[in-house]
Amino acid sequence: MLELVNISKRFKQKYAVKSMNMLIERGEIVGLLGPNGAGKSTAISIMSSLVEPTEGDVYFKGQSILKKPESLRKVAGIVPQEIALYTDLTAEENLQFFGRIYHLKGAKLKERMDDVLETIGLTDRRKEVVKKFSGGMKRRLNIGVALLHEPELLIMDEPTVGIDAQSRNYILETVRRLNEEKNVTILYTSHYMEEVEYLCDRIYIMDQGNLIAAGTKEEIKRILSGEKTIVIKADRITESFINEFKTHPLINGMNVEEKQVSIMVAKEVNMFADIIKLADKASLELNSVNVKTPTLEDVFLHLTGRALRD
Amino acid sequence: MRGILIARWKQLLRNPWTFLCFTGLSIGFALILGLTGAGNTIRVPIAIVDEEVHEAPIISQLKQETTLQFYEMKEQDLLQFIEDGKAEVGVLLSKDSYKLVVGVESTTVTIAENIVRQTYVNYFQQQSIIDRAHMSAEEEKSLLQELEENLNEPIFTIQASNFRTDEAVIYNPTYQFLFGFSLFFVIYTIGHSTTAMLTEKKQGIWDRIILSPVSKWKMYVGNLIYSFFEGYLQVVIIFSFFFVVFDIDYNGMLWKALLLLIPYVFAMVALTILLISVIKNIQQFNVLITIVAVSMAMIGGAYWPIEIVESKILLTLAKFNPVAYAMEALKGVVNYGYSWDQLYYPISILLLMGVVMISIGIHLMERRHI
Ligand SMILES: Nc1ncnc2c1ncn2[C@@H]1O[C@H](COP(=O)(O)OP(=O)(O)OP(=O)(O)O)[C@@H](O)[C@H]1O
Ligand SMILES: [Mg+2]
């Protein structure tokens, strides 16, 4: 349905996106994953025809959209990363305004507004000014606006950043329902691994402008089939403890959180003795040591040497 | 496009404070400086020392004077006034002569003296001419001599400078400040209104519209029409307020004055678009518009009449200043009763400036992706 071929985008000397290829098939939910500054929003602007790529081409249903973006624009709904709404207007007035620019009017407009409000769960808040909405409600309306013209393809740029768990779940469910009930094709961008893991059939992972992995969840996890993750929990984590691991020859990757260190090692390696010895040396009290199969998060760690979220 | 106008209008109704604030400021300043006369015309007390002065129209003429404001009081009070420093100068009037009581040597003294002297001279001249009708040839001869002498008196004249003519200046502080502050503050209202466009672009609202079937130029036109409307609404409110509440009658020219504001408000919308097209963020815009508005108001004669400006440089700068043309046109209509023929020039200049600035502004905005 939508295809990016060898897309690059350069700002001055810096590449925001480098030689990116991507394919979205009808009916799929495709995930685009990457940390801050990976180039996700830039890629989205290009594939939604807002920004011209420095190199490469974008095809929608086999036609280049660089010269003729109309066919794409008519059936695509874009949910921007920033809240693009009139905050002094009510939810209803916003929908009215954006509905009108899609030439919806009268009974049809009303019907679409009711439907969208229902979908995003804001029916009883429709008369409230957006300024007074919670972050989650704004996000939902931001999505709702993109649904007014019943898009076939929905491109969502981090629709869940900075909101509470409840709103987040609501949005995830909405995305899933749109895909299942209305057969909307969706590109879902996020830097939350678990969202993408939950929603998407296929996943693209970006870092610093490059696509570093692509495939189904299983394919991507298979990258790490020869590895395992060991999660070490302690009361506190000290600098010296971390340094010991950093220089350890058998460890392929590491992610440090407040009271927890995850390390990645080959499947056959037995690390327990070493871990206990090093903890002793750093006089740390260990709470637990767990072994688990790698997650997408670990894949990212493995591919870039960094955690997805910092 | 109607959608844009409706959306913007609703936003104004929800959040009218900036608009009301600038409307209020215009009215407030015009009231304080224009109507009460404080801060502009200097008051000069006069006292009658010889009742015969009433036979001459001296007093009524002095009271009509607008450059200085002459007002009557008792001789005793006047002397006390000067002594107390409450007035710089006072004038004691008799039928054939006058006396200045000077408290402080200042330009006011010179101006007052010149006005009073000229009033007397005019009166004497008229008197001589009237008397001449009943005179013998001999008397006539000496009278002519006298008249000539009178005429040769060095008369202080105010240099009248106007865009095209050299007529005498009419200075009416009410209109000066009413027009001046309306033209000045409306720049801010318009700026506030057009920058909403910048915010909308930054927020991504315009991206949504670019992706919709509505074309971008409709978005521009809709927003510009709205900003024009908001600015125009403000000046109409101010002008009508003074018309209704204070019986300021604009010498019967209210409609014409309101029509003249159309090209001005348009030019200001264009100017703010041009400013937006060269700045990086709203903060920069706020600084820039303050600099531009204040200097345009000063050079354009919104704070004080441009007629008193003598600097060649400033007068040349005024030729590029929309405020100067608008002040000239408004005062022309109300004070001098300009006909459309005389207004044609400032109107076309304003429209021309507007078209040029708006074209450059939108072009730059598009090129710089703002
Ligand atoms: N208009 C621009 N001019 C210059 N540099 C830009 C521009 N837009 C993006 N960039 C740069 O391109 C890189 C990618 O930015 P982009 O917004 O696409 O990342 P992202 O993956 O969406 O990040 P985030 O998760 O923070 O939204 C960043 O380094 C950014 O600084
Ligand atoms: Mg982004």
Side-chain angles (χ1 to χ4, degrees):
Chain A
M1 193 174 192
L2 188 67
E3 192 176 5
L4 273 65
V5 180
N6 223 355
I7 290 290
S8 294
K9 179 70 190 179
R10 199 180 56 206
F11 294 110
K12 304 249 167 64
Q13 290 311 310
K14 194 174 167 297
Y15 276 95
V17 174
K18 258 180 283 181
S19 321
M20 180 174 183
N21 290 294
M22 188 180 215
L23 178 68
I24 303 172
E25 302 273 21
R26 180 185 291 278
E28 279 189 307
I29 305 185
V30 172
L32 177 58
L33 200 62
N36 290 131
K40 304 181 297 291
S41 297
T42 308
I44 282 187
S45 300
I46 293 169
M47 70 180 90
S48 54
S49 81
L50 276 172
V51 168
E52 278 198 20
T54 317
E55 281 158 49
D57 210 339
V58 182
Y59 297 95
F60 179 68
K61 295 182 177 168
Q63 268 194 338
S64 168
I65 63 159
L66 293 190
K67 276 142 246 139
K68 287 192 154 187
E70 294 79 14
S71 63
L72 169 81
R73 288 180 180 180
K74 217 162 33 196
V75 296
I78 315 290
V79 180
Q81 183 171 353
E82 309 298 330
I83 308 277
L85 300 168
Y86 287 109
T87 49
D88 278 327
L89 299 186
T90 63
E92 198 170 60
E93 286 163 348
N94 268 286
L95 291 173
Q96 232 157 33
F97 174 80
F98 288 107
R100 281 214 188 96
I101 65 174
Y102 277 95
H103 300 324
L104 293 168
K105 23 176 143 18
K108 178 71 185 162
L109 175 61
K110 193 173 173 312
E111 180 201 315
R112 286 303 304 140
M113 281 169 51
D114 290 346
D115 182 48
V116 165
L117 284 164
E118 188 66 43
T119 309
I120 58 177
L122 288 178
T123 305
D124 38 344
R125 315 294 290 262
R126 61 197 293 167
K127 301 246 185 263
E128 273 175 52
V129 176
V130 172
K131 205 155 51 180
K132 299 198 174 130
F133 275 5
S134 72
M137 286 157 69
K138 284 184 199 157
R139 285 268 157 219
R140 269 140 68 187
L141 186 59
N142 202 37
I143 296 171
V145 166
L147 300 175
L148 279 165
H149 61 298
E150 298 179 275
E152 289 172 32
L153 171 67
L154 191 60
I155 299 178
M156 310 177 87
D157 194 351
E158 304 199 33
T160 57
V161 280
I163 57 174
D164 58 292
Q166 201 188 342
S167 281
R168 192 168 153 198
N169 289 338
Y170 192 95
I171 289 177
L172 293 180
E173 280 323 309
T174 308
V175 171
R176 178 151 256 182
R177 269 206 338 265
L178 283 169
N179 177 254
E180 279 168 7
E181 291 167 17
K182 305 207 168 156
N183 198 30
V184 181
T185 309
I186 294 167
L187 175 74
Y188 189 94
T189 312
S190 178
H191 57 239
Y192 296 109
M193 194 64 79
E194 54 292 4
E195 290 184 355
V196 173
E197 207 164 349
Y198 169 74
L199 280 178
C200 304
D201 314 313
R202 286 193 310 116
I203 298 166
Y204 290 82
I205 303 181
M206 272 186 101
D207 186 40
Q208 299 183 333
N210 295 302
L211 267 187
I212 53 175
T216 62
K217 268 181 281 197
E218 290 68 32
E219 281 169 346
I220 288 184
K221 284 187 193 164
R222 217 171 291 143
I223 297 174
L224 286 184
S225 58
E227 312 238 351
K228 65 183 175 190
T229 305
I230 303 174
V231 183
I232 305 157
K233 288 190 177 154
D235 281 348
R236 62 198 168 90
I237 303 293
T238 63
E239 200 71 24
S240 61
F241 187 59
I242 295 165
N243 286 335
E244 293 287 354
F245 281 116
K246 270 189 186 153
T247 51
H248 198 290
L250 291 174
I251 293 177
N252 300 332
M254 173 165 73
N255 182 27
V256 183
E257 278 160 57
E258 200 189 340
K259 291 181 173 179
Q260 155 178 338
V261 180
S262 314
I263 55 174
M264 220 177 294
V265 292
K267 245 181 184 158
E268 59 280 4
V269 174
N270 187 346
M271 281 290 290
F272 283 101
D274 276 16
I275 290 169
I276 289 164
K277 200 173 75 196
L278 291 175
D280 253 1
K281 203 169 146 194
S283 33
L284 287 187
E285 185 123 343
L286 290 180
N287 287 341
S288 70
V289 178
N290 281 316
V291 180
K292 41 170 216 165
T293 46
T295 60
L296 286 176
E297 191 104 29
D298 301 321
V299 176
F300 187 81
L301 187 62
H302 170 79
L303 291 172
T304 65
R306 289 176 295 118
L308 193 51
R309 269 168 284 163
D310 22 43
Chain B
M1 198 139 80
R2 222 186 49 191
I4 299 166
L5 296 179
I6 295 172
R8 294 290 307 268
W9 174 242
K10 278 185 185 152
Q11 288 180 79
L12 177 69
L13 293 183
R14 296 247 158 82
N15 224 334
W17 309 118
T18 317
F19 178 84
L20 291 180
C21 172
F22 287 124
T23 311
L25 278 174
S26 313
I27 293 177
F29 273 96
L31 270 182
I32 294 164
L33 295 170
L35 274 190
T36 64
N40 54 83
T41 36
I42 297 164
R43 287 156 64 84
V44 174
I46 50 177
I48 295 158
V49 289
D50 171 6
E51 285 300 325
E52 273 182 55
V53 76
H54 285 303
E55 289 168 20
I58 302 277
I59 295 184
S60 61
Q61 269 175 24
L62 283 179
K63 281 186 177 168
Q64 274 173 20
E65 191 58 47
T66 49
T67 321
L68 294 176
Q69 199 180 339
F70 291 97
Y71 64 108
E72 227 180 304
M73 57 169 61
K74 289 208 185 80
E75 185 183 354
Q76 215 54 41
D77 295 342
L78 185 146
L79 294 174
Q80 193 61 47
F81 240 59
I82 303 293
E83 200 165 305
D84 295 348
K86 286 182 187 157
E88 293 166 78
V89 59
V91 192
L92 303 175
L93 307 168
S94 355
K95 185 163 181 260
D96 301 322
S97 68
Y98 59 85
K99 241 190 247 163
L100 290 184
V101 187
V102 177
V104 194
E105 254 334 314
S106 69
T107 47
T108 314
V109 179
T110 326
I111 296 172
E113 167 155 32
N114 281 309
I115 292 170
V116 176
R117 186 201 300 145
Q118 180 142 29
T119 313
Y120 273 88
V121 168
N122 288 347
Y123 168 63
F124 290 149
Q125 284 177 355
Q126 279 169 12
Q127 217 39 53
S128 311
I129 292 161
I130 294 164
D131 290 350
R132 209 183 108 186
H134 322 282
M135 267 179 231
S136 69
E138 214 177 339
E139 282 169 319
E140 196 178 339
K141 204 173 169 187
S142 73
L143 188 85
L144 277 175
Q145 219 168 359
E146 195 188 321
L147 185 62
E148 202 168 354
E149 267 168 26
N150 279 344
L151 283 172
N152 283 340
E153 281 254 46
I155 293 168
F156 177 83
T157 49
I158 300 170
Q159 270 299 315
S161 76
N162 179 283
F163 276 105
R164 275 152 294 117
T165 52
D166 269 343
E167 353 171 345
V169 173
I170 300 175
Y171 175 70
N172 184 326
T174 307
Y175 294 128
Q176 168 68 35
F177 289 107
L178 170 55
F179 298 160
F181 284 107
S182 303
L183 296 189
F184 173 63
F185 283 114
V186 79
I187 301 176
Y188 289 95
T189 301
I190 294 172
H192 181 74
S193 176
T194 45
T195 45
M197 205 158 71
L198 190 67
T199 319
E200 286 170 14
K201 283 188 166 193
K202 286 242 157 74
Q203 284 175 335
I205 291 178
W206 279 54
D207 284 344
R208 290 205 135 127
I209 288 152
I210 291 168
L211 293 173
S212 80
V214 169
S215 69
K216 192 151 56 166
W217 73 264
K218 273 198 182 152
M219 195 65 187
Y220 273 119
V221 174
N223 273 289
L224 294 180
I225 288 180
Y226 173 77
S227 294
F228 170 85
F229 164 77
E230 195 179 329
Y232 195 61
L233 180 68
Q234 174 169 330
V235 286
V236 169
I237 289 176
I238 298 167
F239 277 48
S240 316
F241 178 82
F242 278 88
F243 182 73
V244 174
V245 179
F246 292 101
D247 288 329
I248 301 291
D249 67 352
Y250 304 89
N251 295 329
M253 293 293 178
L254 177 59
W255 287 113
K256 232 174 174 177
L258 290 181
L259 285 176
L260 283 176
L261 287 166
I262 291 177
Y264 173 74
V265 172
F266 166 67
M268 286 305 109
V269 170
L271 175 76
T272 54
I273 293 294
L274 184 64
L275 296 186
I276 289 175
S277 74
V278 297
I279 47 93
K280 287 211 179 69
N281 52 45
I282 299 264
Q283 286 79 359
Q284 278 187 0
F285 178 84
N286 289 339
V287 173
L288 194 60
I289 192 152
T290 306
I291 296 171
V292 170
V294 170
S295 42
M296 279 199 325
M298 291 205 288
I299 297 169
Y303 296 154
W304 49 73
I306 198 163
E307 288 84 356
I308 66 166
V309 175
E310 288 190 349
S311 153
K312 280 256 157 52
I313 301 171
L314 288 186
L315 287 174
T316 313
L317 279 177
K319 295 219 175 353
F320 300 95
N321 182 345
V323 173
Y325 288 95
M327 282 305 283
E328 142 91 352
L330 284 174
K331 290 204 286 192
V333 158
V334 174
N335 288 339
Y336 305 99
Y338 276 16
S339 65
W340 284 115
D341 274 356
Q342 286 165 292
L343 295 170
Y344 174 73
Y345 176 71
I347 290 178
S348 354
I349 295 277
L350 284 173
L351 290 177
L352 182 73
M353 282 179 169
V355 171
V356 170
M357 288 190 291
I358 224 165
S359 318
I360 299 176
I362 292 183
H363 179 75
L364 274 180
M365 259 161 116
E366 284 299 300
R367 265 226 350 227
R368 294 182 52 216
H369 300 289
I370 41 177

